Amino acid sequence: MTAQEEGSVTAGGAETAPEVIRAEHISKRFGAVQALKDVNLYVRRGEILGLIGDNGAGKSTLIKTLTGFHRPDQGRLLFNGTETALRSVVHARSLGIDTVFQDLAMINDLPVYLNLFLNRELTHRPLPVLRRSEMRRRAREALDSIGISIPSVDTEVGQLSGGQRQAIAVARSVYAESTQLLLLDEPLAAMGAKEGGQILRLLKRLKERRDIAIILIAHNYAQIVDICDRVNLLQHGEITLDRASQETSVSELLELVHAEYGVN
Ligand SMILES: Nc1ncnc2c1ncn2[C@@H]1O[C@H](COP(=O)(O)OP(=O)(O)OP(=O)(O)O)[C@@H](O)[C@H]1O
Ligand SMILES: [Mg+2]
């Protein structure tokens, strides 16, 4: 397939690459709270979309809807151009939609290497016997290549720091070969500057591969402007801005987010 047929990716970004996910008119209510209102959003292959907004704006709810955790009350999702009803997180993952949740889904009393292979353990086929040494080796390789230092891949995840756990959650999604859409809900929040920088570099490398679409939630707008191609602002459950990162700035984003409170 030529680049033309696939949708060409220009030097400036992924403006014409195919859309991996498109959300249309998504609404979601929790009791009295209208968490999402008629949300429309898309991300193309090779693109990183930054999702910003205040606490409670609906960012995590939106990500959880794109990953099969919440069913939308209204609206639909198109995955690779086809209308798709996501039945569960496991179903979404089987399609290639992988998520690093804000409230991490890690099993604390399992060692690091088994968490890295959660739900895709390597076995000696056809026997259901785990290939432990191979998983340990690959886990070490994966974490070394990102530069995440942990005592040992045999350490139970519950004994790690919040930042280390988050790094492992990111590594798990990134190294799942089938991932087409990676959703990251504040992956940098619990990290020190060094670990956070390593994850940002990893995301940039992933972007250069151009075969994956990424949606990143972060409260640090400098990181958003630095790493994302586009930014969407969510306010009270509604997308109020969709702009190329090159056409905005940290100060403009701060102004937009805080304007409604009369801060500026
Ligand atoms: N499972 C739930 N049950 C009831 N209400 C919920 C649930 N999940 C989210 N909400 C509500 O929906 C709104 C949006 O929450 P959400 O977690 O999506 O915000 P957010 O933008 O991710 O915020 P933050 O930046 O603090 O993570 C909030 O008012 C929240 O209280
Ligand atoms: Mg959230």
Side-chain angles (χ1 to χ4, degrees):
M1 200 186 280
T2 66
Q4 204 65 47
E5 285 162 333
E6 263 206 303
S8 64
V9 178
T10 64
E15 292 90 348
T16 58
E19 289 176 11
V20 177
I21 194 95
R22 173 175 280 273
E24 288 183 344
H25 308 296
I26 295 285
S27 295
K28 179 74 188 172
R29 171 183 284 278
F30 299 108
V33 178
Q34 187 72 50
L36 297 174
K37 278 178 230 163
D38 195 24
V39 166
N40 295 289
L41 159 153
Y42 70 93
V43 59
R44 295 179 188 280
R45 195 190 297 164
E47 188 180 45
I48 304 185
L49 172 68
L51 193 55
I52 64 168
D54 262 330
N55 297 121
K59 304 179 298 297
S60 295
T61 304
L62 181 52
I63 290 291
K64 285 177 174 174
T65 306
L66 298 180
T67 198
F69 186 84
H70 290 315
R71 289 315 139 71
D73 300 332
Q74 275 157 24
R76 62 176 195 158
L77 298 178
L78 302 176
F79 182 60
N80 289 325
T82 304
E83 184 169 351
T84 307
L86 300 174
R87 294 189 297 274
S88 65
V89 174
V90 172
H91 176 221
R93 193 182 291 144
S94 75
L95 297 176
I97 301 175
D98 218 331
T99 312
V100 177
F101 289 104
Q102 185 175 28
D103 30 21
L104 291 175
M106 295 276 247
I107 301 189
N108 281 339
D109 53 5
L110 281 183
V112 166
Y113 78 92
L114 282 180
N115 265 286
L116 272 170
F117 283 93
L118 211 59
N119 298 321
R120 37 177 169 253
E121 292 84 358
L122 303 179
T123 55
H124 291 283
R125 288 216 179 98
L127 300 177
V129 177
L130 293 180
R131 294 169 61 194
R132 287 180 186 276
S133 54
E134 179 64 12
M135 284 192 281
R136 280 197 185 91
R137 191 183 65 73
R138 289 203 205 173
R140 248 190 313 267
E141 242 175 52
L143 295 174
D144 283 351
S145 75
I146 322 177
I148 298 301
S149 54
I150 47 156
S152 152
V153 292
D154 291 309
T155 310
E156 284 181 11
V157 160
Q159 293 169 12
L160 297 177
S161 75
Q164 288 169 325
R165 276 205 296 273
Q166 219 139 6
I168 287 160
V170 174
R172 181 169 70 190
S173 294
V174 162
Y175 283 90
E177 283 159 14
S178 55
T179 303
Q180 297 182 49
L181 174 64
L182 179 58
L183 306 168
L184 300 156
D185 192 347
E186 299 195 42
L188 306 162
M191 291 194 183
K194 178 170 154 273
E195 288 80 6
Q198 278 155 347
I199 296 294
L200 282 178
R201 276 194 294 282
L202 176 71
L203 293 179
K204 281 184 179 166
R205 286 218 302 273
L206 263 184
K207 185 174 129 161
E208 282 159 16
R209 259 175 39 190
R210 292 186 171 171
D211 58 357
I212 189 170
I214 300 174
I215 302 179
L216 170 69
I217 298 178
H219 285 285
N220 182 324
Y221 301 154
Q223 287 170 344
I224 289 277
V225 169
D226 174 33
I227 198 175
C228 296
D229 300 279
R230 272 190 304 125
V231 186
N232 281 12
L233 168 61
L234 204 50
Q235 293 183 297
H236 306 292
E238 289 180 273
I239 303 258
T240 54
L241 175 87
D242 177 3
R243 187 157 301 164
S245 300
Q246 287 172 339
E247 287 161 21
T248 187
S249 63
V250 174
S251 53
E252 186 190 40
L253 294 178
L254 280 170
E255 219 166 278
L256 287 166
V257 172
H258 295 300
E260 63 180 315
Y261 303 106
V263 172
N264 291 294

